[in-house]
Amino acid sequence: MKSSKRILSGIQPSGDLHLGNYLGAIKNFVSLQHEYECFFCVVDLHAITVWQDPQKLAQKTREVIAAFIASGIDSKKNILFSQSQVPQHTQLAWIFSCVARMGWLNRMTQFKDKAGKDRENVSVGLFSYPTLMAADILIYLATHVPVGEDQKQHLEFTRDIAQKFNNDFKTNLFPLTEPLIFGEGTRVMSLRDGTKKMSKSDISEYSRIMLSDSPDQIVQKIKKAKTDPLPLPADKKEASKRPEAFNLLSIFAALNDISINDAIKQNAGQDFSTFKKNLTDLVVEKIEPIGKKIKKLMGDQSFLDSVMNTGKDKAIVEADSVLTKVYDVIGLKKL
Ligand code: ATP
Ligand code: MG
């Protein structure tokens, strides 16, 4: 099956999924699934660029599949699978690590953020992560990738690889893939620090609302969320100077499917305690049902495994046909 509009996107099984993953990625997957041919994968090989407990990895992988389905992704129409089960991703990643330049990787901000001051001690995989991500996308000749704002630079890197490969080997095999970054939740920030991205890997659980949180946990986390002493901002200009207020208003906007301007208008001048109560009700209303569905699906592991198995078989057919073309173009013999 060939489609001119094809999506690939992935989520790491690196921890519990949070509101940022939902608003920046999964919610958009749901809205795009009927317009595009979609490959949604659990990128377990990306997750192991930092330590993962082997006893928990398979379960975390199933949890991401469960979250896709619980959020409204149709497991029959779309291809859902785990990255490590399709070996063509890593085969293409090696080839791309021979195409990408060190200078390109040295500029990647995700690596700088994740490695911090410990650069010499992090894994080589964390550094070359974007070459595997480019392979995940281009092994399916995906034309579009819905992601959060933090992945924009990796998408530019993917385009650079596609372009250099096409130029070097005088082919037009790879598309110049476009990111799809839309909605008001493209960069949900930590509830503890409005200048830091909400992440699975943040050590503080109070920094993020998880899809699996109970209403009580949501109440506590929003209550403790950092704010400033002023009433809610009157306009966007004022809001953008107040990161914590802006973040909570963006979450309010994204969950209500309204613009940030309308969210600011609706709440202007309110005190934070009233706004936090309204926001809590909204988060509970939208997130609790997803959490419950995830839990229920996790009780049926054979169903989740069968979804991944079917997905893997379909993905392998597509990936292998592209890898054959790549080998051919490069002059490698694929027996
Ligand atoms: P980790 O901290 O392990 O990198 P993560 O929370 O960043 O985990 P990923 O699996 O790396 O999650 O990302 C999955 C998808 O969620 C990507 O499309 C990414 O852009 C998006 N995403 C992650 N965090 C946020 C966020 N805070 N706001 C919006 N989108 C996000
Ligand atoms: Mg991430």
Side-chain angles (χ1 to χ4, degrees):
M1 184 170 48
K2 275 263 151 352
S3 165
S4 57
K5 284 168 85 180
R6 182 180 271 189
I7 276 176
L8 173 292
S9 198
I11 307 264
Q12 299 185 70
S14 50
D16 293 310
L17 296 184
H18 54 75
L19 204 53
N21 300 134
Y22 178 66
L23 294 175
I26 303 174
K27 185 170 182 282
N28 291 348
F29 299 172
V30 175
S31 73
L32 294 163
Q33 64 181 324
H34 297 295
E35 207 187 316
Y36 292 78
E37 183 191 4
C38 297
F39 293 73
F40 296 124
C41 77
V42 188
V43 285
D44 48 0
L45 295 171
H46 281 291
I48 62 165
T49 55
V50 298
W51 174 253
Q52 301 297 333
D53 182 344
Q55 307 300 323
K56 294 189 183 149
L57 193 52
Q59 205 61 350
K60 294 233 160 287
T61 298
R62 289 189 188 101
E63 252 167 50
V64 178
I65 296 287
F68 286 158
I69 299 170
S71 303
I73 292 174
D74 182 343
S75 64
K76 290 212 172 71
K77 184 189 175 291
N78 303 285
I79 299 173
L80 311 183
F81 63 104
S82 102
Q83 179 193 32
S84 62
Q85 304 310 301
V86 183
Q88 288 81 359
H89 289 232
T90 40
Q91 288 176 279
L92 186 59
W94 175 258
I95 291 167
F96 283 173
S97 71
C98 301
V99 175
R101 305 289 96 179
M102 286 294 288
W104 302 357
L105 279 172
N106 275 328
R107 285 196 285 276
M108 296 294 118
T109 57
Q110 177 175 290
F111 176 74
K112 289 179 195 162
D113 291 345
K114 288 199 171 180
K117 292 196 179 76
D118 201 27
R119 269 191 182 213
E120 294 297 312
N121 273 319
V122 295
S123 72
V124 174
L126 192 66
F127 182 69
S128 61
Y129 184 114
T131 53
L132 177 58
M133 180 165 158
D136 298 334
I137 295 164
L138 293 172
I139 196 72
Y140 302 106
L141 306 179
T143 53
H144 295 83
V145 181
V147 274
E149 179 74 37
D150 63 304
Q151 293 302 316
K152 200 168 171 219
Q153 194 186 31
H154 288 168
L155 261 297
E156 282 157 14
F157 177 89
T158 301
R159 290 163 65 93
D160 287 344
I161 289 198
Q163 195 142 38
K164 181 161 164 51
F165 183 97
N166 287 351
N167 283 344
D168 286 354
F169 296 103
K170 303 199 175 18
T171 171
N172 58 4
L173 179 61
F174 290 123
L176 299 182
T177 309
E178 299 279 351
L180 295 172
I181 301 173
F182 62 94
E184 299 294 356
T186 57
R187 190 172 178 81
V188 178
M189 308 308 271
S190 157
L191 299 182
R192 309 298 290 163
D193 176 353
T195 61
K196 222 170 109 190
K197 184 182 92 69
M198 185 180 280
S199 276
K200 290 190 221 97
S201 47
D202 194 312
I203 42 170
S204 164
E205 289 208 352
Y206 276 90
S207 69
R208 58 183 171 265
I209 290 168
M210 266 105 76
L211 298 184
S212 57
D213 278 346
S214 67
D216 263 3
Q217 287 169 309
I218 295 173
V219 170
Q220 290 311 317
K221 287 179 181 178
I222 297 183
K223 207 185 245 170
K224 285 209 162 92
K226 189 177 168 198
T227 51
D228 56 41
L230 301 170
L232 271 101
D235 54 40
K236 197 168 175 186
K237 195 169 161 215
E238 189 195 336
S240 19
K241 290 186 199 133
R242 296 168 54 190
E244 283 80 21
F246 192 86
N247 187 37
L248 296 181
L249 282 161
S250 302
I251 295 173
F252 183 87
L255 285 173
N256 269 323
D257 280 315
I258 59 173
S259 69
I260 182 74
N261 282 329
D262 284 347
I264 292 170
K265 237 186 262 164
Q266 278 180 29
N267 296 287
Q270 248 180 34
D271 56 78
F272 269 107
S273 62
T274 315
F275 174 65
K276 279 185 168 183
K277 274 201 198 90
N278 295 337
L279 182 64
T280 303
D281 290 345
L282 177 66
V283 175
V284 170
E285 179 199 324
K286 302 283 181 181
I287 297 305
E288 195 200 8
I290 298 176
K292 279 188 173 157
K293 277 186 210 153
I294 294 177
K295 220 171 174 183
K296 194 161 171 233
L297 285 161
M298 286 302 285
D300 192 351
Q301 302 209 344
S302 60
F303 167 69
L304 296 172
D305 290 353
S306 77
V307 167
M308 279 194 279
N309 259 318
T310 309
K312 172 197 77 172
D313 290 342
K314 290 184 184 163
I316 283 180
V317 172
E318 295 296 322
D320 204 55
S321 90
V322 174
L323 192 67
T324 302
K325 289 183 189 138
V326 171
Y327 271 44
D328 189 41
V329 164
I330 293 182
L332 298 165
K333 189 118 187 93
K334 192 160 184 288
L335 299 171

